[in-house]
Amino acid sequence: MKKETKSVYPPAESRVKVRYAETDQMGVAYYANYFVWFEVGRSQYCNDRGFSYRDMERESGLFLIVAEAHCRYKNPARYEDELIIRTTITELTRRTLRFNYVIERADGAAVATGETLHVLINKEGRPSSLPEKYLSLLRQEKAGG
């Protein structure tokens, strides 16, 4: 059994509404969409800390690639459900980031939990270190915080 790690960094919160195109014939969200919603959460986490993935990639020439991804499905998300994605960082080193996600319906029902592990690489695909600027931004509570 995998040990759960508690975040020392504050969460970011995102909201999405399940679109028709994200569901099957029964109106249930297709399983792969949860990983897309995790990305929404990661992007919001970075934005809350004062930068975007795109800006980091352009400025530093570095990329955060997914090395591991896990999702535990609890209750189905259905067409037009409003989902709340809470994203935290549970591990942050110069070369890796581990994000944790909790997805709930707006009514509070648990939908899914998950995590992704990211490795920082350069344009040549070699492991790299996150510049201090981005380490500091990721560790702060909110932009300007």
Side-chain angles (χ1 to χ4, degrees):
M1 187 81 182
K2 191 173 182 179
K3 184 179 108 179
E4 288 198 27
T5 308
K6 187 167 173 131
S7 176
V8 295
Y9 305 105
E13 188 172 292
S14 311
R15 291 180 180 257
V16 296
K17 196 169 206 178
V18 179
R19 299 173 301 171
Y20 186 79
E22 295 170 321
T23 65
D24 61 19
Q25 191 173 11
M26 296 181 298
V28 174
Y30 180 68
Y31 75 94
N33 287 306
Y34 292 77
F35 293 99
V36 174
W37 298 331
F38 290 171
E39 185 176 352
V40 169
R42 284 194 305 277
S43 293
Q44 187 64 53
Y45 190 95
C46 293
N47 288 333
D48 282 359
R49 271 108 197 124
F51 72 97
S52 72
Y53 266 5
R54 181 190 63 204
D55 293 344
M56 184 192 74
E57 290 172 350
R58 287 180 181 167
E59 182 181 311
S60 67
L62 301 173
F63 304 89
L64 283 171
I65 62 167
V66 177
E68 295 176 9
H70 173 77
C71 185
R72 171 80 169 113
Y73 305 95
K74 298 186 176 223
N75 287 296
R78 298 184 182 276
Y79 175 55
E80 291 197 341
D81 280 353
E82 184 177 359
L83 304 178
I84 302 164
I85 307 155
R86 290 187 183 85
T87 306
T88 57
I89 289 181
T90 56
E91 181 183 318
L92 176 60
T93 70
R94 287 204 161 279
R95 293 188 175 203
T96 64
L97 286 95
R98 186 177 303 272
F99 288 92
N100 181 271
Y101 313 92
V102 174
I103 300 179
E104 297 176 341
R105 283 196 309 260
D107 67 7
V111 173
T113 59
E115 72 175 25
T116 54
L117 173 66
H118 301 261
V119 176
L120 198 70
I121 63 168
N122 63 20
K123 289 180 183 177
E124 291 75 40
R126 298 190 185 274
S128 276
S129 292
L130 202 57
E132 186 58 42
K133 169 186 175 180
Y134 294 103
L135 277 171
S136 295
L137 288 170
L138 287 166
R139 287 180 177 136
Q140 72 181 10
E141 288 200 24
K142 296 269 185 187

